[in-house]
Amino acid sequence: MHKITYIFILFPFLAFAQLRPVVEKDTTEVEWIIIEGDSVPRTTIDLDEVILLNKLKFDSSEDRKRYLILKRKTIKVYPYAKLAAERLETLNERLATLDSKRERRQYAKIIQRYIEEEFSAELKKLTRTEGQILIKLIHRQTGKTTFELIKDLRSGWRAFWFQNTAKLFDISLKKEFDPLNVKEDYLIEDILERAFQNGLLVRQKPAVDIDFYDLTDKWLNPKPTVDKE
């Protein structure tokens, strides 16, 4: 349904890699890897970092149920946040090539009509909690809150966010993604990382700094508090 452009880093890299015959180096057999466009032989290939995940543990069946509900909602809305980041990047790149305000307004209107026709109906189907998770994830992927994006881009962006739904429900457009201080946001990050590794979602680099190991250490290994006398 969506025309999403995927940027593959690892796979094209490997596609142009080829193995040369084994050569001797100081009586040690070495298998060189020659990369197209790279004149320097290399013995290793740089791979993306793989995060080791802890086994899921829940204090109660109710906690497990809440996690699964959060997982379903997060996986549902993440593609919209990813698409928002892509649309924002495309919009900014295009606007940077336009000189006059008239051309900028015309282009913004084209984007607005396109987004309204393709996405508004789907976004309006989201529940309040799904909408709030989406707002957090938009901040994760763009580095800006939905409120800031609407303020900066106005009508060109407003079409992407289902304004009517935001008005009907108690949704804060200023919500940020803060997994270091908000446990639900940490759980969302945990859900995303597992979904990326399982192939359920396509990874997109976040626009905010996230150290998953620091988050896990804080939430799964809390330091005991010391009472001051």
Side-chain angles (χ1 to χ4, degrees):
M1 179 180 68
H2 309 309
K3 298 177 180 178
I4 302 177
T5 303
Y6 295 97
I7 302 176
F8 294 95
I9 298 178
L10 177 60
F11 294 108
F13 185 84
L14 296 178
F16 291 109
Q18 51 184 323
L19 299 181
R20 288 291 181 88
V22 175
V23 299
E24 289 190 1
K25 179 182 179 182
D26 298 331
T27 70
T28 302
E29 289 188 347
V30 178
E31 193 174 53
W32 293 101
I33 301 171
I34 309 300
I35 308 300
E36 184 175 322
D38 188 349
S39 59
V40 180
R42 305 172 64 186
T43 57
T44 61
I45 294 180
D46 297 327
L47 299 176
D48 291 337
E49 178 186 11
V50 176
I51 295 177
L52 299 179
L53 301 171
N54 292 288
K55 184 178 180 180
L56 288 174
K57 295 180 181 179
F58 303 99
D59 295 333
S60 65
S61 59
E62 190 64 27
D63 285 346
R64 181 178 182 276
K65 180 180 179 181
R66 282 196 292 266
Y67 180 89
L68 293 177
I69 292 175
L70 184 63
K71 176 182 177 180
R72 175 175 56 80
K73 294 177 182 294
T74 299
I75 290 177
K76 178 180 178 180
V77 302
Y78 172 80
Y80 292 113
K82 179 177 179 293
L83 185 61
E86 292 171 352
R87 288 285 186 267
L88 179 62
E89 182 180 4
T90 301
L91 178 63
N92 287 336
E93 289 176 354
R94 176 58 177 161
L95 290 178
T97 65
L98 303 177
D99 297 326
S100 69
K101 292 183 178 179
R102 180 173 178 272
E103 289 178 323
R104 289 170 174 262
R105 285 197 299 268
Q106 288 179 338
Y107 182 72
K109 287 181 179 179
I110 293 173
I111 294 295
Q112 180 177 344
R113 286 195 299 267
Y114 173 76
I115 291 173
E116 284 178 342
E117 292 174 0
E118 189 167 7
F119 305 114
S120 290
E122 292 298 320
L123 292 174
K124 288 178 181 178
K125 295 177 183 178
L126 300 183
T127 65
R128 176 189 173 279
T129 53
E130 289 169 347
Q132 196 66 82
I133 293 171
L134 175 57
I135 289 176
K136 291 182 179 183
L137 292 182
I138 285 177
H139 176 258
R140 181 187 187 273
Q141 299 310 124
T142 67
K144 291 188 175 184
T145 65
T146 304
F147 177 83
E148 290 171 333
L149 290 171
I150 293 174
K151 182 180 179 181
D152 292 345
L153 301 174
R154 296 184 180 179
S155 61
W157 179 265
R158 187 176 302 171
F160 187 89
W161 182 251
F162 50 109
Q163 283 288 79
N164 292 335
T165 305
K167 292 177 182 178
L168 289 175
F169 299 97
D170 184 21
I171 295 179
S172 172
L173 301 180
K174 297 182 180 181
K175 276 285 186 181
E176 296 184 359
F177 185 67
D178 187 13
L180 188 61
N181 298 302
V182 180
K183 187 169 184 179
E184 181 182 86
D185 291 0
Y186 161 69
L187 293 176
I188 290 174
E189 187 63 30
D190 177 85
I191 290 167
L192 289 177
E193 187 57 45
R194 293 177 191 277
F196 295 149
Q197 294 195 23
N198 292 333
L200 294 176
L201 295 174
V202 177
R203 187 188 297 274
Q204 181 189 63
K205 184 178 180 180
V208 297
D209 292 331
I210 296 175
D211 189 318
F212 191 80
Y213 291 121
D214 284 350
L215 297 177
T216 301
D217 184 59
K218 173 180 179 177
W219 292 107
L220 298 188
N221 303 297
K223 295 179 175 60
T225 57
V226 178
D227 295 332
K228 295 182 180 181
E229 295 183 357

